[in-house]
Amino acid sequence: MAKQQQTSGYSSGGNIIPTPEEAATFQPQVVAEGGWEKCWEDGVTPWDQGRATPLILHLLDSSSLPLGRTLVPGCGGGHDVVAMANPERFVVGLDISEKALKKANETYGCAPNAKYFAFVKEDVFTWRADELFDLIFDYVFFCAIELELRPAWAKSMYELLKPDGELITLMYPITDHVGGAPYKVSVSAYEDVLVPLGFKAVSIEENPDSIPTRKGKEKLARWKKIN
């Protein structure tokens, strides 16, 4: 499996990032064999760019990322968690994979901003924080869950956000491929589960900072919890 990852794709942060269509040909077998834990154990992590998502860096540079308590569900190696964390934005990275969080802690445990983030091993579908969040950032998580879980995902996003909080979804992969994970998504796939709960799309646009193997296959959507 790992060998197949290395034969094509785009190199980012030392990792080879295939197209979502390519990932869907080998990742499901590994997940079926041992879940997401086995993916990390075998190094089959085609979603992991090995660094912070370029869009997050762009939003930080342009001061257009909200401050306050922030949640990153399915944080994996923790790159986005650490990039966003500062004295005015405490970030919680959530993941069900012990190996993913072990890697995140080994990589970033001594980071200069380590007191402004935390990695937590919990399931976002059942976990509820003691304090709600001002911002949630979802990327390569919505596409990783089975389609029947998408309404439950939306319910968790709603219950974890403060009133008037913001949900940023980097919609990916907007493709026509069959199978998954990653499962194909669309704007309507998000709207169908978020709007009935009380989310309003403030903006939906092409991601200007996509890496080459994802260009034209993802959109940035910013949602407000309005009731």
Side-chain angles (χ1 to χ4, degrees):
M1 295 299 174
K3 182 178 179 181
Q4 187 166 0
Q5 266 193 283
Q6 295 168 4
T7 58
S8 62
Y10 166 74
S11 179
S12 173
N15 293 354
I16 302 298
I17 313 299
T19 66
E21 295 92 337
E22 291 169 337
T25 65
F26 61 83
Q27 185 176 322
Q29 181 180 339
V30 184
V31 175
E33 289 173 356
W36 298 104
E37 196 76 352
K38 184 169 177 59
C39 290
W40 284 99
E41 182 178 330
D42 291 358
V44 183
T45 56
W47 62 86
D48 183 9
Q49 299 183 48
R51 61 177 182 175
T53 302
L55 174 70
I56 288 295
L57 300 179
H58 173 80
L59 294 176
L60 288 168
D61 288 344
S62 59
S63 300
S64 51
L65 197 66
L67 299 174
R69 277 176 57 82
T70 298
L71 175 66
V72 181
C75 68
H79 315 299
D80 291 330
V81 171
V82 178
M84 289 190 282
N86 65 35
E88 297 178 287
R89 186 187 300 108
F90 187 87
V91 186
V92 175
L94 206 69
D95 210 290
I96 61 171
S97 170
E98 185 174 338
K99 286 184 171 59
L101 296 182
K102 180 181 179 183
K103 180 178 180 181
N105 278 306
E106 288 174 350
T107 304
Y108 296 115
C110 295
N113 61 341
K115 64 181 178 180
Y116 304 120
F117 64 81
F119 295 117
V120 178
K121 184 181 181 296
E122 289 286 354
D123 185 339
V124 73
F125 294 105
T126 56
W127 178 73
R128 291 299 175 264
D130 294 334
E131 185 179 348
L132 298 180
F133 293 92
D134 299 280
L135 171 67
I136 299 177
F137 175 61
D138 183 297
Y139 185 33
V140 299
F141 182 73
F142 184 84
C143 69
I145 61 175
E146 296 175 352
L147 275 59
E148 58 266 28
L149 290 176
R150 289 178 175 180
W153 167 88
K155 183 173 183 287
S156 291
M157 299 301 99
Y158 184 87
E159 292 179 352
L160 288 164
L161 265 182
K162 292 180 181 178
D164 203 39
E166 181 171 351
L167 168 64
I168 296 179
T169 58
L170 192 43
M171 301 173 169
Y172 162 88
I174 302 175
T175 61
D176 291 322
H177 76 272
V178 176
Y183 298 97
K184 66 181 180 181
V185 307
S186 62
V187 173
S188 62
Y190 288 83
E191 291 174 331
D192 289 349
V193 294
L194 289 173
V195 172
L197 292 180
F199 281 96
K200 179 181 179 180
V202 177
S203 64
I204 299 177
E205 59 190 54
E206 294 290 333
N207 177 16
D209 300 294
S210 295
I211 62 174
T213 50
R214 297 178 182 177
K215 193 164 291 291
K217 301 175 182 179
E218 51 189 21
K219 293 180 183 290
L220 164 64
R222 305 186 73 148
W223 310 81
K224 274 288 191 180
K225 180 179 174 180
I226 58 175
N227 61 35

